[in-house]
Amino acid sequence: RLPDHFIPVSKWIAANVKKLGVLNRDITVVYDGLELSKLNNNADSESFRSKHGLDNDDFTVGLVGLLIPWKGQDLFIDAARKLKDVIPNLKMLIVGGTPDGYQDYENELKSSVYREGLEDIVMFIGHENDMPMVYMGLDVVVSASISPEPLGMVMIEAMAIGRAVIVPNHGGGAELCTDGETGLVFKAGDSDSLADSIVRFYQDAELRQRVGTQAKKQVLSTFDIAFHVNKIESVYD
């Protein structure tokens, strides 16, 4: 109760702050800002695909994030299992490093891939520095977090480059997308729902293009760092 004002980064966070008894007048939601002009929109998909031995006709779906359980890599792998006989040229890429203390989790994930016979579908990419190159190399970018994300900066970056994204229907991430307009929204924790969304994008290239274009417009108007700074200054003023 010490702060004079609260600045949550999403409406979902704001709702949780209100549960502490904070009044609406003492809360202003300000989304995180990105220096969008520094994102390399000229990155090409060929660089990433060539680096990892992906063919041009491979349908690439990526989950980007640290290898920790609540990011939902196991859910992502379960969706791959359901899709292995549905999408013939599917590649499901897990992009991100493994923090200290989570090596056992990585080993469990890889054992699951081997056990389900998904070695030709699921790829562990590891940490990547050039994220625009990664996004451009993916047809679809997924957030599969089983616990609510405060906001979801990976999704914002991917949308800023015009990628088609899939997000769960909880947390701040659900605020980023209008289903069917700026992305697809699936039932959190439900691998069937996630798999259905992936199939929908696979079957409709025009939908991927349209939502990617709309997502980019939304992000450029909402998450630019200058807009963020002005909102923060207005709170202090």
Side-chain angles (χ1 to χ4, degrees):
R1 297 184 181 277
L2 291 176
D4 293 304
H5 205 81
F6 293 81
I7 309 177
V9 299
S10 66
K11 295 175 183 176
W12 179 76
I13 294 290
N16 282 275
V17 170
K18 290 176 186 177
K19 293 177 183 178
L20 303 176
V22 180
L23 300 177
N24 281 334
R25 70 188 184 197
D26 296 326
I27 301 172
T28 301
V29 174
V30 181
Y31 289 125
D32 285 333
L34 287 175
E35 291 186 274
L36 297 172
S37 61
K38 291 188 176 181
L39 284 176
N40 181 14
N41 282 275
N42 296 316
D44 68 279
S45 62
E46 295 300 321
S47 298
F48 179 76
R49 288 178 177 253
S50 176
K51 178 179 178 180
H52 296 288
L54 298 165
D55 294 331
N56 289 333
D57 62 348
D58 284 336
F59 184 70
T60 55
V61 181
L63 188 156
V64 179
L66 292 173
L67 270 65
I68 52 180
W70 73 270
K71 288 292 188 180
Q73 286 90 359
D74 52 349
L75 184 76
F76 189 71
I77 291 170
D78 196 35
R81 179 181 61 80
K82 299 174 188 296
L83 295 173
K84 68 178 181 179
D85 296 322
V86 178
I87 302 177
N89 54 338
L90 176 65
K91 299 294 182 183
M92 301 274 280
L93 282 58
I94 296 175
V95 183
T98 304
D100 292 341
Y102 288 92
Q103 190 61 52
D104 287 346
Y105 177 61
E106 179 185 349
N107 293 337
E108 290 173 10
L109 293 174
K110 291 181 175 178
S111 294
S112 177
V113 168
Y114 178 79
R115 189 168 55 249
E116 297 289 346
L118 299 172
E119 303 97 316
D120 293 334
I121 295 176
V122 178
M123 301 172 61
F124 290 83
I125 301 302
H127 175 74
E128 287 277 358
N129 289 315
D130 189 344
M131 291 312 300
M133 179 188 73
V134 174
Y135 299 136
M136 288 302 293
L138 297 171
D139 293 299
V140 178
V141 182
V142 169
S143 170
S145 300
I146 57 175
S147 295
E149 295 263 10
L151 185 57
M153 296 305 289
V154 165
M155 292 295 103
I156 295 171
E157 290 178 349
M159 292 167 72
I161 293 180
R163 295 296 87 192
V165 301
I166 300 175
V167 301
N169 63 348
H170 63 186
E175 297 174 30
L176 300 176
C177 292
T178 300
D179 189 45
E181 295 182 17
T182 53
L184 296 181
V185 180
F186 76 98
K187 184 179 179 181
D190 188 328
S191 60
D192 286 322
S193 180
L194 173 57
D196 289 344
S197 294
I198 293 171
V199 169
R200 187 178 173 190
F201 268 147
Y202 172 73
Q203 294 177 337
D204 195 340
E206 190 276 332
L207 175 65
R208 296 200 309 271
Q209 178 64 39
R210 185 175 74 249
V211 301
T213 299
Q214 289 299 113
K216 185 173 183 176
K217 290 179 181 178
Q218 175 184 312
V219 167
L220 292 178
S221 64
T222 307
F223 295 97
D224 185 80
I225 190 66
F227 181 76
H228 169 85
V229 168
N230 288 337
K231 290 279 285 185
I232 295 294
E233 287 182 340
S234 71
V235 172
Y236 280 92
D237 289 341

